[in-house]
Amino acid sequence: MIEILENLDLLSRPNLDLASVEVNGIALGAPATTVPRQRIVGGLSSIIARYRGGTDIESEYYDAEGRSLTLDQVIEDIVRSDGFLYGADEINYKVRAGAVVGFAISGPHLSHFAHLTSYEEFLTVFGRPDRIHENRAYGDLLSYETYYWGARKHVTWDPWEDRVSFVNLGDFEGNSGP
């Protein structure tokens, strides 16, 4: 297995074989219980009916009856079923039926691509995507959402900051085609 975080150029491959890579030591299909708990700072699960949190606010989770849930309870539900595990290192894990089925990478890891200063340079390095969605609000272009079906990958280009801002790999909507 090739570690993506040690070989970030792999993210630019339009036909990356996800069966041959791992992210933070975790491969697609691995049991979600193998994600080290000390890396997890939050989660999203169907048992959460209400959430409160944000910058400088301790996260709070509540079930449908209004009972407080601990982060450990949320994590335990996710690793047994479906949801998202949010990592302190800005690596997130999508979980389905207790297995890791996707990764989302953001933050400092993507500074590896800081040498790209335009969308045209991004396309030269990452290649022509199978699908491009221009994310707009009130007439402003907020991002280019690019999808590479051969790699089951989605990459976001931020035209305001001229940078790669997000990459997800695996079983996310749009990553395998229409």
Side-chain angles (χ1 to χ4, degrees):
M1 293 293 236
I2 302 168
E3 174 58 55
I4 289 273
L5 298 180
E6 294 172 5
N7 301 281
L8 288 164
D9 283 331
L10 291 173
L11 291 175
S12 65
R13 289 188 183 169
N15 289 306
L16 177 62
D17 177 11
L18 296 183
S20 68
V21 299
E22 58 188 15
V23 176
N24 242 356
I26 307 294
L28 288 180
T33 55
T34 61
V35 178
R37 294 257 174 146
Q38 67 272 18
R39 287 189 195 156
I40 303 169
V41 296
L44 178 63
S45 164
S46 62
I47 65 166
I48 301 169
R50 189 169 60 90
Y51 168 79
R52 181 179 180 269
T55 306
D56 298 326
I57 298 173
E58 187 73 25
S59 294
E60 298 174 7
Y61 302 96
Y62 299 91
D63 67 13
E65 283 78 44
R67 291 182 300 242
S68 180
L69 299 167
T70 66
L71 178 57
D72 282 338
Q73 288 173 307
V74 171
I75 292 170
E76 199 54 42
D77 181 68
I78 295 166
V79 300
R80 284 191 332 266
S81 59
D82 301 337
F84 290 90
L85 299 171
Y86 301 132
D89 53 0
E90 298 191 57
I91 303 290
N92 302 320
Y93 307 85
K94 182 176 182 180
V95 177
R96 186 178 302 127
V100 176
V101 297
F103 305 105
I105 304 168
S106 60
H109 304 289
L110 300 178
S111 66
H112 178 78
F113 300 104
H115 65 282
L116 303 176
T117 59
S118 72
Y119 182 59
E120 292 72 28
E121 285 181 27
F122 163 77
L123 290 176
T124 298
V125 170
F126 278 76
R128 269 293 153 199
D130 295 296
R131 178 176 178 253
I132 301 170
H133 171 73
E134 292 184 1
N135 183 17
R136 294 182 177 271
Y138 305 106
D140 293 326
L141 177 62
L142 303 178
S143 64
Y144 290 103
E145 306 299 326
T146 59
Y147 297 87
Y148 299 84
W149 298 333
R152 293 177 30 224
K153 174 177 69 176
H154 165 207
V155 183
T156 299
W157 176 262
D158 179 338
W160 291 60
E161 296 186 18
D162 288 322
R163 68 184 181 95
V164 174
S165 61
F166 180 79
V167 176
N168 75 34
L169 305 166
D171 288 344
F172 289 91
E173 185 176 340
N175 282 7
S176 321

